């Protein structure tokens, strides 16, 4: 169920019976010469839509711009600063809670968002109002990613190329795949930016001239479909697990006994 397509009475019927929401988040940032800037938010939205359709749970509009200053040297990259991003997502989630949602999955497709979504989840958890968890699609199927692709990359590599190949193949610049590999960085260990154990890089441009990592030529439509379906299945299982939990079991445990002040004379 996509929230923005529904009327308010229809949504009232949903929250009268259900309390789960799926929130897709990504970025608008460079993904090498072969993938669109929309890559991350397209992946998040497609996975969230597939899982919501299969489970019937509520899907919100996608948050398209994330924490991406480490890609700022490349044309078109957009970003918000971390404090503003965290506050926005927290406010967005509290809005859902006001309408009756008490458990949220952040369907995330951008590594730069991870720590900030975890922090938002921690804030909400601490307040005991909403249980929100961050879910990063490729981290749900690491074995399959490694099995499918010999030379992976953390950004604009074969796994992301495969996902866009499945979701929106017309947006993949196939004639640029070899350029992405040959003028990018296939293996991070070859970057020479770890010196005496210290990571001396901060931006993607410090490591890759064209912003790509890994070998995106190692993608087929069959691999792309397998990757997408495996990730979507993991998300469906997470949502079903979350829905089955009692909210009391998801929120913070009480202070251990004896309770502070319980034996104090009044």
């Amino acid at each position: 169920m996509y929230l923005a397509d529904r009327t308010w009475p229809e949504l009232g019927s949903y929250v009268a019976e259900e309390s789960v929401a799926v929130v897709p988040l990504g970025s608008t940032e460079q993904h090498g010469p072969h993938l669109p800037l929309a890559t991350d938010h397209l992946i998040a939205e497609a996975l969230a839509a597939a899982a919501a359709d299969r489970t019937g749970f509520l899907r919100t509009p996608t948050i398209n711009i994330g924490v991406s200053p480490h890609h700022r040297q490349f044309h078109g990259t957009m970003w918000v600063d971390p404090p503003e991003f965290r506050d926005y997502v927290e406010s967005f989630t509290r809005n859902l809670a006001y309408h009756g949602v008490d458990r949220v999955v952040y369907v995330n497709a951008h590594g730069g968002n991870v720590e900030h979504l975890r922090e938002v989840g921690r804030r909400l958890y601490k307040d005991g109002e909403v249980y929100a968890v961050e879910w990063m699609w490729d981290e749900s199927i690491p074995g399959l990613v490694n099995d499918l692709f010999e030379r992976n990359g953390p950004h604009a590599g074969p796994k992301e190329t495969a996902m866009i190949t499945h979701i929106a193949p017309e947006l993949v610049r196939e004639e640029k795949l070899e350029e992405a590999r040959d003028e990018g960085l296939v293996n991070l260990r070859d970057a020479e930016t770890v010196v005496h154990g210290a990571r001396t890089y901060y931006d993607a441009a410090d490591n890759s001239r064209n912003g790509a990592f890994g070998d995106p030529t190692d993608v087929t439509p069959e691999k792309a479909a397998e990757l997408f379906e495996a990730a979507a299945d993991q998300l469906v299982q997470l949502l079903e697990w979350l829905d089955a939990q009692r909210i009391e079991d998801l929120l913070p445990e009480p202070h251990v006994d004896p309770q502070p002040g319980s034996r104090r004379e009044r």
Side-chain angles (χ1 to χ4, degrees), residues 73-91:
Q73 291 91 343
F74 297 94
H75 300 303
T77 292
M78 303 184 73
W79 69 91
V80 291
D81 292 329
E84 287 72 20
F85 177 78
R86 292 191 294 264
D87 289 347
Y88 179 81
V89 176
E90 180 179 355
S91 179

Side-chain angles (χ1 to χ4, degrees), residues 65-117:
I65 298 174
V67 182
S68 302
H70 49 295
H71 293 290
R72 66 189 183 279
Q73 291 91 343
F74 297 94
H75 300 303
T77 292
M78 303 184 73
W79 69 91
V80 291
D81 292 329
E84 287 72 20
F85 177 78
R86 292 191 294 264
D87 289 347
Y88 179 81
V89 176
E90 180 179 355
S91 179
F92 182 101
T93 308
R94 290 187 187 279
N95 171 262
L96 292 172
Y98 174 81
H99 290 298
V101 169
D102 61 16
R103 49 204 94 183
V104 170
V105 174
Y106 298 129
V107 178
N108 181 35
H110 173 51
N113 294 341
V114 171
E115 63 180 290
H116 308 294
L117 293 173

Side-chain angles (χ1 to χ4, degrees), residues 152-210:
N152 283 310
H155 181 80
K159 61 186 177 184
E160 290 186 323
T161 303
M163 292 296 267
I164 299 302
T165 295
H166 183 75
I167 296 163
E170 71 280 3
L171 297 181
V172 179
R173 280 64 168 177
E174 293 185 2
E175 74 281 3
K176 296 287 187 179
L177 291 175
E178 291 185 2
E179 177 185 331
R181 177 196 63 199
D182 297 341
E183 297 184 16
L185 182 68
V186 172
N187 194 324
L188 268 177
R189 288 175 292 186
D190 299 330
E192 299 181 354
T193 48
V194 176
V195 180
H196 300 299
R199 297 182 181 182
T200 62
Y201 60 91
Y202 287 96
D203 296 334
D206 296 336
N207 279 328
S208 173
R209 288 181 298 168
N210 67 8

Side-chain angles (χ1 to χ4, degrees), residues 218-241:
D218 187 22
V219 173
T220 65
E222 293 75 21
K223 289 181 179 181
E226 183 178 358
L227 198 69
F228 182 89
E229 287 302 319
D233 181 64
Q234 287 294 308
L235 180 54
V236 165
Q237 291 187 58
L238 172 61
L239 290 169
E240 291 175 342
W241 173 86

